[in-house]
């Protein structure tokens, strides 16, 4: 503005951002406000009826930018991301299902027989009690659910200290346990590259945000 000198102003925001390619700006809490309970504030936001898109008005993280070394912000970002994730997952009412391709050496024929693999694995050694098959199964054990399950278990590790010492710890613990129970029939064996694109579906609005 014409009547103000050019520069950076802290306002009511904390965080870190790159000014240019070589220097970053880190803004911490104002003097006298160091004891503000950020986790309680975020818990209030995430437990409300805000839409998933509205969370981006509370905070943003540029995951594509280089990491900024900011010890003064240690202990704030990780719990925040975890709480955001738990809040989104807790809104999932039912798990998505999809067809997953399996292959294995079975006692009974299922799907179709992989003739070449069966000859090498069984016929060549006269193992006639097994058949190597390939088949599709409609299941909740799809890559999206696996990734969310793996992240929930990771959250469990991060939140141990928060759950034990924070006043909202029991509420967070309950959110986590409830989500883990919903995903109990889902494995955690997944690579991020397996979840390349999530198709939007009005019945599963939370999935895209949770996977992101």
């Amino acid at each position: 503005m014409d009547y103000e000198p050019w520069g950076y102003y802290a306002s009511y925001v904390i965080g870190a951002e790159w000014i240019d390619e070589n220097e970053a700006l880190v803004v911490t809490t104002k003097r006298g406000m160091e004891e503000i309970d950020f986790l309680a504030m975020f818990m209030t936001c995430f437990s409300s009826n805000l839409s998933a898109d509205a969370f981006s008005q509370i905070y943003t993280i540029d995951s594509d930018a280089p990491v900024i070394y900011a010890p003064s912000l240690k202990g704030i970002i990780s719990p925040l991301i975890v709480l955001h994730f738990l809040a989104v997952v807790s809104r999932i009412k039912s798990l998505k299902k999809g067809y997953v391709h399996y292959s294995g050496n079975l006692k009974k024929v299922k799907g179709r027989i992989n003739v070449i693999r069966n000859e090498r694995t069984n016929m060549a050694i006269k193992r006639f009690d097994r058949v190597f098959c390939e088949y599709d199964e409609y299941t909740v054990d799809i890559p999206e659910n696996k990734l969310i399950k793996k992240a929930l278990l990771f959250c469990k590790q991060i939140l141990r200290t928060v759950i034990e010492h924070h006043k909202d710890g029991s509420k967070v613990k309950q959110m986590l346990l409830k989500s883990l129970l919903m995903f109990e029939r889902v494995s955690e064996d997944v690579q991020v590259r397996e979840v390349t694109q999530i198709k939007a579906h009005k019945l599963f609005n939370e999935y895209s945000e949770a996977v992101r």
Side-chain angles (χ1 to χ4, degrees):
M1 297 181 181
D2 295 337
Y3 54 86
E4 289 185 356
W6 183 91
Y8 290 92
Y9 298 88
S11 185
Y12 294 97
V13 176
I14 66 169
E17 188 171 353
W18 288 102
I19 298 175
D20 52 36
E21 294 182 356
N22 302 310
E23 189 174 2
L25 179 69
V26 177
V27 180
T28 58
T29 52
K30 293 178 174 62
R31 187 174 300 172
M33 301 176 68
E34 294 86 358
E35 300 302 319
I36 288 179
D37 192 340
F38 291 102
L39 291 182
M41 292 171 61
F42 291 130
M43 279 294 294
T44 300
C45 294
F46 296 147
S47 60
S48 68
N49 292 323
L50 286 173
S51 66
D53 293 339
F55 292 153
S56 63
Q57 303 299 318
I58 302 171
Y59 80 104
T60 58
I61 295 177
D62 186 354
S63 57
D64 296 323
V67 174
I68 297 174
Y69 182 66
S72 56
L73 297 177
K74 185 179 180 181
I76 296 178
I77 301 300
S78 293
L80 169 58
I81 297 174
V82 169
L83 290 176
H84 182 176
F85 176 70
L86 286 178
V88 173
V89 174
S90 66
R91 295 186 179 190
I92 296 176
K93 303 303 181 185
S94 60
L95 299 188
K96 285 178 66 175
K97 290 186 177 182
Y99 284 99
V100 177
H101 185 74
Y102 294 99
S103 61
N105 215 16
L106 309 178
K107 292 182 178 180
K108 296 181 179 180
V109 175
K110 188 174 185 179
R112 69 179 184 85
I113 299 175
N114 186 320
V115 177
I116 296 177
R117 289 289 300 273
N118 189 55
E119 287 181 355
R120 292 175 180 174
T121 306
N122 300 314
M123 304 301 290
I125 59 174
K126 297 182 179 181
R127 189 180 184 182
F128 304 122
D129 63 324
R130 295 280 178 169
V131 182
F132 199 95
C133 301
E134 293 188 0
Y135 58 96
D136 292 327
E137 192 170 284
Y138 193 62
T139 175
V140 296
D141 206 27
I142 58 176
E144 298 99 301
N145 289 338
K146 289 181 178 182
L147 186 64
I148 294 174
K149 171 70 173 287
K150 190 171 186 176
L152 285 171
L153 295 174
F154 187 67
C155 291
K156 188 176 181 179
Q157 297 177 11
I158 294 179
L159 287 175
R160 280 176 182 167
T161 303
V162 177
I163 289 174
E164 291 177 1
H165 299 100
H166 196 270
K167 65 178 183 178
D168 286 328
S170 58
K171 186 186 299 183
V172 177
K173 185 177 181 180
Q174 185 151 3
M175 288 173 62
L176 177 59
L177 292 177
K178 184 178 179 181
S179 295
L180 282 172
L181 184 63
M182 177 179 288
F183 284 81
E184 66 177 347
R185 293 188 294 117
V186 178
S187 68
E188 56 178 297
D189 183 18
V190 66
Q191 300 296 322
V192 175
R193 63 176 179 270
E194 295 180 44
V195 189
T196 56
Q197 185 176 2
I198 303 298
K199 295 182 179 179
H201 194 293
K202 62 181 180 180
L203 296 179
F204 301 99
N205 290 328
E206 296 81 6
Y207 266 84
S208 296
E209 177 68 3
V211 169
R212 184 188 70 81

